[in-house]
């Protein structure tokens, strides 16, 4: 299909053909992000075998499992600038190439240092793809930005569910931990080919100038140095510490404090992914209500759930319900709307950089979140650690959210 300009003149009258083309391209990009999520889940799954083969201690293994977030943190801002010079489609493909090759190359690591490097590089590629996708979806679906980002979040949830199941099948089928790493890398490379075939510039490079029939927008800061972007960046840091404090150490809390069996821990964590499936609905609310309402209520909801998590009933059913509710709060509500509001805070041409700031702040905090709550648990116990890092930070996030100025954000023009 020939490339089509984003102007109203060419898009108008294309009708269902354009709608079908958009649908196929969006589906491929969503599937590519599912693969991104699958790639993140595979290494923790095989970590026990890797640790035995290389003789890593628990601390080294834990760092190996989470170091990809460091790669994501350092790649966010540079990727935003890169998209001002290259197409978003190209940046997305390069990101997939980097993390796919890094995943494959990991099987040839000879020790701790080079394997740690490969895992960090995989995070760089994952951040590049995520940043480009956030900019593409937020810009093309500019009248429903948060809902569009919510769709990406559902893709992540699906990948997080499929990845462990497929990885375990490959792992047991081939009898070694290297097989799923190779296959997941190959799947990523295949997605690059599909993106090259079906994603067109009129979709991936759409900006603030809407196509025919779309609502035009007005407002939004013309610089990244504006109060709303600063507040949203701080809120991303708060989310990073709370979210990855939970994801990084909650399974250990279940095992060592509540004495759950490994199978039950896996089931409880799967409920978190199910909770994230509310992303589209939560994004729809974010598009229609003020951030000074949506974000404070979301953070307070998260604070309440975290309080129950560490201070409430300890039975399996209760913890599974709390995990599901926290998936709704953290991934379904706060993450999605922070991304949408971060892009709305600036004019269209700054969308890539704004999403880059979000990624850097979120994953920069995530890099040390697990270590922080682990240190706190060792000093004052799990309950106080959870109340401090998760409950306390969510309350702080709710208060900071009140500093956002909705009137200064981009909005549909009259």
């Amino acid at each position: 299909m020939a490339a089509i300009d984003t102007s109203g003149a060419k898009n108008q009258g294309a009708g269902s053909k354009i709608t079908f083309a958009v649908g196929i391209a969006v589906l491929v990009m969503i599937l590519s992000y599912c693969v991104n999520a699958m790639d993140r889940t595979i290494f923790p799954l095989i970590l026990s075998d890797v640790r035995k083969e290389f003789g890593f201690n628990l601390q080294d293994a834990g760092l190996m499992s989470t170091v990809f977030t460091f790669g994501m943190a350092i790649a966010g801002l540079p990727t935003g600038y890169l998209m001002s010079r290259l197409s978003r489609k190209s940046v997305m493909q390069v990101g997939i190439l980097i993390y796919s090759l890094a995943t494959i190359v990991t099987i040839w690591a000879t020790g701790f240092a080079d394997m740690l490097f490969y895992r960090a590089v995989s995070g760089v590629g994952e951040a590049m793809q995520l940043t480009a996708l956030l900019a593409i979806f937020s810009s093309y679906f500019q009248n429903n930005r948060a809902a569009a980002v919510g769709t990406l979040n559902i893709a992540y949830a699906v990948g997080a569910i499929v990845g462990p199941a497929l990885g375990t099948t490959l792992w047991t089928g081939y009898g070694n931990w290297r097989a799923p790493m190779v296959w997941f890398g190959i799947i990523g490379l295949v997605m690059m080919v599909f993106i090259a075939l079906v994603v067109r510039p009129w979709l991936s490079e759409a900006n603030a100038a809407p196509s025919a029939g779309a609502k035009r927008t007005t407002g939004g800061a013309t610089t990244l140095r504006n109060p709303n972007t600063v507040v949203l960046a701080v809120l991303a840091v708060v989310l990073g510490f709370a979210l990855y404090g939970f994801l990084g150490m909650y399974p250990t809390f279940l095992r060592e404090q509540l004495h759950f069996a490994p199978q039950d821990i896996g089931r409880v964590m799967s409920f978190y992914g199910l909770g994230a499936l509310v992303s589209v609905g939560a994004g729809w609310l974010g598009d229609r209500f003020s951030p000074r309402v949506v974000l404070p209520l979301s953070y307070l909801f998260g604070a309440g759930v975290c309080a129950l998590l560490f201070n409430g009933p300890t039975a399996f059913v209760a913890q599974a319900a709390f995990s599901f509710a926290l998936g709704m709060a953290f991934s379904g509500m706060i993450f999605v709307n922070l991304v949408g509001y971060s892009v709305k805070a600036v004019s269209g041409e700054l969308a890539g950089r704004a999403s880059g700031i979000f990624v850097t702040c979120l994953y920069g905090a995530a890099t040390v979140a697990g270590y922080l709550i682990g240190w706190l648990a060792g000093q004052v116990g799990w309950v106080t650690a959870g109340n401090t890092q998760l409950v306390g930070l969510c309350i702080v996030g709710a208060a900071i959210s009140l500093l956002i100025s909705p009137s200064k954000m981009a909005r549909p023009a009259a």
Side-chain angles (χ1 to χ4, degrees):
M1 190 179 84
I4 298 177
D5 188 81
T6 53
S7 67
K10 281 206 171 185
N11 279 332
Q12 193 171 16
S16 60
K17 178 184 284 188
I18 296 301
T19 301
F20 178 77
V22 170
I24 293 298
V26 167
L27 177 61
V28 168
M29 288 189 288
I30 288 174
L31 290 176
S32 76
Y33 192 52
C34 286
V35 176
N36 185 315
M38 290 166 57
D39 189 80
R40 297 188 208 181
T41 64
I42 185 59
F43 196 79
L45 186 70
I46 62 174
L47 188 58
S48 58
D49 275 19
V50 173
R51 192 165 76 87
K52 291 176 183 177
E53 179 175 329
F54 288 89
F56 298 152
N57 59 35
L58 283 173
Q59 292 82 359
D60 289 344
L63 177 61
M64 193 76 68
S65 181
T66 59
V67 73
F68 78 93
T69 61
F70 175 73
M72 297 191 77
I74 64 174
L77 282 175
T79 301
Y81 283 100
L82 188 61
M83 284 193 293
S84 65
R85 293 163 175 78
L86 300 176
S87 70
R88 295 167 184 165
K89 176 180 175 180
S90 297
V91 171
M92 175 170 54
Q93 289 177 293
V94 170
I96 297 174
L97 177 65
I98 289 174
Y99 78 70
S100 297
L101 292 181
T103 299
I104 295 173
V105 172
T106 301
I107 70 170
W108 288 298
T110 59
F112 178 80
D114 58 341
M115 185 176 288
L116 191 72
F117 174 75
Y118 300 146
R119 296 308 302 153
V121 170
S122 72
V124 171
E126 289 165 359
M128 290 179 67
Q129 184 196 11
L130 173 58
T131 305
L133 282 172
L134 291 175
I136 291 170
F137 275 61
S138 297
S139 296
Y140 190 82
F141 302 102
Q142 53 193 281
N143 294 325
N144 296 281
R145 285 168 168 165
V149 174
T151 303
L152 279 180
N153 216 35
I154 287 182
Y156 175 82
V158 171
I161 294 171
V162 173
L166 178 58
T168 301
T169 301
L170 293 169
W171 181 17
T172 56
Y174 284 89
N176 68 80
W177 63 267
R178 290 174 171 83
M181 299 288 283
V182 173
W183 276 108
F184 278 30
I186 291 174
I187 293 172
L189 296 175
V190 170
M191 292 309 304
M192 279 186 61
V193 176
F194 280 114
I195 289 172
L197 293 174
V198 304
V199 178
R200 293 290 184 259
W202 49 260
L203 191 160
S204 63
E205 313 314 312
N207 52 37
S211 58
K215 298 178 182 178
R216 296 186 178 274
T217 59
T218 184
T222 57
T223 174
L224 294 174
R225 296 179 180 178
N226 68 85
N228 279 340
T229 296
V230 171
V231 171
L232 290 163
V234 173
L235 289 174
V237 171
V238 170
L239 177 62
F241 275 111
L243 171 58
Y244 281 88
F246 168 79
L247 292 177
M249 295 302 291
Y250 178 60
T252 303
F253 167 76
L254 291 177
R255 182 65 173 165
E256 298 183 0
Q257 184 76 8
L258 303 187
H259 307 293
F260 275 32
Q263 296 86 349
D264 288 337
I265 294 173
R267 295 188 185 102
V268 169
M269 294 306 296
S270 71
F271 275 92
Y272 181 90
L274 291 174
L277 295 178
V278 305
S279 297
V280 172
W284 181 87
L285 292 174
D287 281 327
R288 283 154 181 79
F289 295 95
S290 168
R292 296 185 67 178
V293 174
V294 174
L295 289 178
L297 290 179
S298 298
Y299 273 107
L300 288 177
F301 176 56
V305 175
C306 289
L308 290 171
L309 205 69
F310 290 95
N311 303 273
T314 59
F316 169 83
V317 173
Q319 290 294 313
F322 300 152
S323 181
F324 175 82
L326 203 57
M328 294 175 58
F330 281 174
S331 291
M333 298 164 64
I334 300 175
F335 176 90
V336 169
N337 287 306
L338 276 183
V339 175
Y341 294 139
S342 294
V343 175
K344 286 181 180 180
V346 297
S347 55
E349 65 273 11
L350 294 175
R353 294 187 185 183
S355 57
I357 290 174
F358 170 81
V359 168
T360 296
C361 291
L362 177 72
Y363 292 108
T367 303
V368 296
Y371 289 100
L372 177 58
I373 195 171
W375 178 81
L376 286 172
Q379 299 297 313
V380 296
W382 280 106
V383 174
T384 303
N387 290 338
T388 301
Q389 184 165 331
L390 274 68
V391 180
L393 281 178
C394 284
I395 293 174
V396 170
I400 294 174
S401 300
L402 297 174
L403 299 176
I404 296 174
S405 299
S407 63
K408 297 180 180 179
M409 289 188 165
R411 59 193 179 278

